[in-house]
Amino acid sequence: MPESTSDLGFLSRAIHAGQQFDPTTGAVVPPIYQTSTFVQDGIGGFRGGYEYARSGNPTRDAFQTQIASLESGAFGTAFSSGLAAEDALLRALLVPGDHVVLGNDVYGGTHRLISKVFGSWGIEVSTVEMADRDAVRAAIRPTTKILWVETPSNPLMKITDIALLAELGHEAGVTVVVDNTFASPYLQRPLELGADVVVHSTTKYLGGHSDVLGGAVVTNDEELSEKVRFLQFATGAVLAPFEAWLTTRGVKTLGLRMERHSSNAQAVAEHFAEHPAIERVYYPGLPEHPGHELASRQMRAFGGMLSVALKGGGAAARAFAESTKLFQLAESLGGVESLIGYPSEMTHASVRGTDLEVPETIVRLSVGIEDIADLIADLEQALPR
Ligand SMILES: *Cc1c(COP(=O)(O)O)cnc(C)c1O
């Protein structure tokens, strides 16, 4: 085990960053420090800086080192959920009277958090088409503090040029935040492209097995990271030791999983692009996708998420989502098993009636890493004929 992992490649860092063997026993896998507090050698004599598990726990630290390394960031902070991570980040960056510009198809929960929770504390929000440079520029006000983007977006898989957005944000003195949940750092690293902060729902691809909830904030800005850490310490939404350990375990295979998620999703997209029951497939790996060229430059592969619009309207879309067998009807994404969702009544129910509303014809697939022939057969049998 090398002293520093910073010279290693991505796949090696996924396995070794923050994962030193246990010095007491030699256990190859760092243990789960299932403890709420730490003995002091005399008052204030902390071992390794550990005092109480809300302020720090070695298992959480191991994951924080791992995720920071993979996102090419200096500082990572792990939370009990993606939304808890977003909440701390927003509090660190905003004061009453400030304004946030959000992409117009960000995760519904992000919009709900900012408009419904922060709204009553005097924060204003606008939603904008992030791929439209002029629209973004026009949306920025003197009080704007944050540009917040998801790319690929949810559920229409729009691609935004992160480097361009970062440039635009920095011209206006605005912090550029990328929710990198859909791509994961294996496919795309926003900090390398100029973004200021990455947030994650580690519940999805990073955990990767649909068995743990978590979130993370990663940045190279030390002052911002300290604010986020202080807010987490003061408010308490920490990632618990067992959840940190499970997430770390998932991350070790991130690269392998993302390769298979991407190749399976590409095969599904190509198979259904010409299907008589399907109006349109939204997947950046298809050459006809408007973001294809940009995604080819910005991402290593195109990821495991895709959406389809059904020709038969809302009723056909609902019936399709309820008729697959291998693809299980559930919220969430990014696990090894394939999931199917109906955004307008599931993930995006909270944005019905707003600009972020998702058409009733859309069905979203989180393509897992099962045998591709089984996945295609399952979707085929569920489609109207
Ligand atoms: C799931 C999700 C979130 C919220 O994360 P939780 O872990 O559910 O709190 C935020 N952003 C995106 C893109 C998501 O998919």
Side-chain angles (χ1 to χ4, degrees):
M1 171 76 210
E3 281 285 294
S4 159
T5 55
S6 56
D7 294 338
L8 300 177
F10 186 95
L11 298 174
S12 306
R13 281 182 283 127
I15 292 164
H16 294 292
Q19 310 304 308
Q20 289 82 359
F21 67 84
D22 173 38
T24 310
T25 62
V28 165
V29 175
I32 305 168
Y33 286 87
Q34 193 67 44
T35 187
S36 61
T37 192
F38 301 85
V39 169
Q40 303 182 16
D41 297 317
I43 297 165
F46 306 131
R47 296 192 178 196
Y50 296 109
E51 175 184 13
Y52 181 67
R54 177 158 35 74
S55 61
N57 174 293
T59 319
R60 190 163 93 235
D61 280 349
F63 170 60
Q64 290 179 160
T65 302
Q66 185 188 35
I67 183 64
S69 169
L70 296 187
E71 282 290 3
S72 301
F75 311 100
T77 307
F79 291 83
S80 53
S81 72
L83 281 172
E86 296 186 13
D87 176 48
L89 176 63
L90 290 163
R91 292 197 223 199
L93 291 170
L94 298 170
V95 295
D98 285 346
H99 173 244
V100 179
V101 176
L102 275 186
N104 64 3
D105 62 351
V106 295
Y107 179 70
T110 302
H111 186 264
R112 180 179 55 206
L113 174 64
I114 299 177
S115 63
K116 299 248 165 78
V117 180
F118 283 81
S120 52
W121 295 86
I123 300 300
E124 297 190 351
V125 61
S126 314
T127 54
V128 67
E129 175 60 62
M130 280 291 175
D132 180 345
R133 228 190 136 110
D134 295 333
V136 175
R137 208 177 259 129
I140 295 176
R141 308 174 187 170
T143 54
T144 305
K145 292 288 158 59
I146 300 175
L147 279 181
W148 185 293
V149 69
E150 261 172 57
T151 176
S153 72
N154 178 14
L156 297 181
M157 312 300 146
K158 288 186 211 159
I159 305 295
T160 300
D161 189 327
I162 296 171
L164 261 183
L165 194 76
E167 219 181 279
L168 220 152
H170 296 157
E171 276 167 23
V174 169
T175 300
V176 176
V177 177
V178 177
D179 180 334
N180 205 27
T181 300
F182 266 42
S184 90
Y186 180 71
L187 298 183
Q188 155 184 296
R189 286 180 293 282
L191 298 180
E192 291 178 7
L193 298 167
D196 301 295
V197 192
V198 165
V199 292
H200 273 287
S201 169
T202 61
T203 312
K204 315 296 168 52
Y205 286 108
L206 291 168
H209 296 74
S210 304
D211 54 10
V212 60
L213 207 63
V217 172
V218 183
T219 181
N220 281 308
D221 180 337
E222 185 164 14
E223 200 184 320
L224 176 61
S225 173
E226 273 172 17
K227 269 192 190 167
V228 167
R229 286 265 172 117
F230 172 76
L231 281 162
Q232 180 184 56
F233 172 65
T235 62
V238 297
L239 187 64
F242 184 55
E243 325 314 85
W245 185 86
L246 275 176
T247 308
T248 285
R249 184 183 207 260
V251 168
K252 290 177 183 176
T253 56
L254 178 69
L256 291 175
R257 288 185 287 106
M258 292 317 293
E259 289 288 349
R260 180 59 64 92
H261 282 297
S262 299
S263 63
N264 276 358
Q266 182 78 35
V268 167
E270 285 172 8
H271 182 90
F272 291 99
E274 305 294 329
H275 194 283
I278 287 180
E279 178 81 51
R280 181 166 167 196
V281 175
Y282 297 83
Y283 185 65
L286 293 177
E288 61 267 30
H289 186 284
H292 177 68
E293 207 193 313
L294 172 58
S296 308
R297 277 185 277 129
Q298 187 164 275
M299 303 173 74
R300 187 199 291 242
F302 303 103
M305 297 301 299
L306 65 92
S307 291
V308 295
L310 269 83
K311 276 191 184 149
R318 277 180 122 265
F320 174 48
E322 291 178 339
S323 304
T324 52
K325 300 189 171 97
L326 208 50
F327 278 83
Q328 299 173 95
L329 180 65
E331 304 270 358
S332 201
L333 61 111
V336 291
E337 63 289 290
S338 293
L339 299 179
I340 191 163
Y342 186 56
S344 74
E345 288 181 35
M346 293 173 65
T347 45
H348 289 63
S350 70
V351 293
R352 289 191 100 173
T354 72
D355 303 348
L356 283 75
E357 188 172 74
V358 176
E360 288 181 345
T361 52
I362 297 287
V363 173
R364 190 185 80 178
L365 304 178
S366 173
V367 181
I369 62 172
E370 299 96 334
D371 286 293
I372 185 60
D374 295 333
L375 296 180
I376 288 176
D378 185 39
L379 295 170
E380 277 285 1
Q381 67 78 30
L383 280 169
R385 58 201 68 237

